[in-house]
């Protein structure tokens, strides 16, 4: 359940941020959500951030492909020597998903580190 909440919040936050900011705002969104929802384990947080941005970027690239009647996708695929336009769309999703996954993992680990330091009592 925590995974799905993190996934949905990351998609929504990233979509909102990317409406006004550059592509790397997806990493910031994944970091913030990973920081706020630190109840997940590290690997679960990574895959929530990874999956969220993969789905967002894959879906957006697919919509652009459909709306442009595949003109741009086929030209870019031929430049990059990719045989299939859908492979190019998947590569687009992975390129955005990897940094976002690491952003979510970093946020998760930072939250756990801060909680650990907060719970440690220091006596003089």
């Amino acid at each position: 359940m925590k995974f799905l909440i993190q996934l949905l919040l990351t998609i929504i936050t990233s979509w909102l941020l990317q409406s006004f900011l550059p592509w790397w705002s997806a990493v910031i969104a994944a970091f913030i959500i990973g920081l706020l929802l630190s109840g997940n384990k590290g690997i679960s947080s990574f895959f929530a951030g990874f999956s969220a941005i993969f789905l967002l970027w894959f879906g957006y690239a697919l919509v652009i492909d459909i709306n442009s009647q595949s003109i741009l996708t086929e030209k870019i695929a031929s430049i990059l020597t990719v045989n299939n336009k859908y492979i190019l769309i998947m590569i687009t999703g992975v390129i955005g998903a990897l940094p976002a996954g690491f952003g979510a993992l970093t946020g998760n680990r930072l939250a756990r580190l801060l909680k650990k330091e907060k719970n440690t009592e220091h006596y003089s």
Side-chain angles (χ1 to χ4, degrees), residues 35-39 109-120:
L35 184 67
L36 296 175
L37 301 176
S38 61
R109 290 292 139 192
L110 179 62
R112 286 179 175 240
L113 179 68
L114 293 175
K115 282 181 184 177
K116 189 176 185 181
E117 286 181 3
K118 190 176 186 180
N119 291 336
T120 305

Side-chain angles (χ1 to χ4, degrees), residues 21-87:
L21 298 172
W23 69 269
W24 47 264
S25 62
V27 180
I28 295 171
F31 173 81
I32 291 170
I33 301 301
L35 184 67
L36 296 175
L37 301 176
S38 61
N40 287 342
K41 292 184 177 180
I43 193 76
S44 178
S45 186
F46 173 83
F47 281 118
F50 182 93
S51 301
I53 303 306
F54 179 82
L55 290 172
L56 181 66
W57 281 30
F58 180 82
Y60 191 59
L62 198 57
V63 166
I64 290 173
D65 179 61
I66 292 168
N67 288 339
S68 68
Q69 299 171 348
S70 302
I71 295 170
L72 181 63
T73 310
E74 289 174 359
K75 287 184 179 183
I76 298 297
S78 68
I79 290 171
L80 296 176
T81 63
V82 176
N83 297 335
N84 191 341
K85 67 178 183 175
Y86 296 109
I87 292 174

Side-chain angles (χ1 to χ4, degrees), residues 91-124:
I91 291 171
T92 301
V94 170
I95 286 173
L98 277 174
F102 286 118
L105 178 63
T106 304
N108 178 277
R109 290 292 139 192
L110 179 62
R112 286 179 175 240
L113 179 68
L114 293 175
K115 282 181 184 177
K116 189 176 185 181
E117 286 181 3
K118 190 176 186 180
N119 291 336
T120 305
E121 295 178 345
H122 297 285
Y123 295 104
S124 303

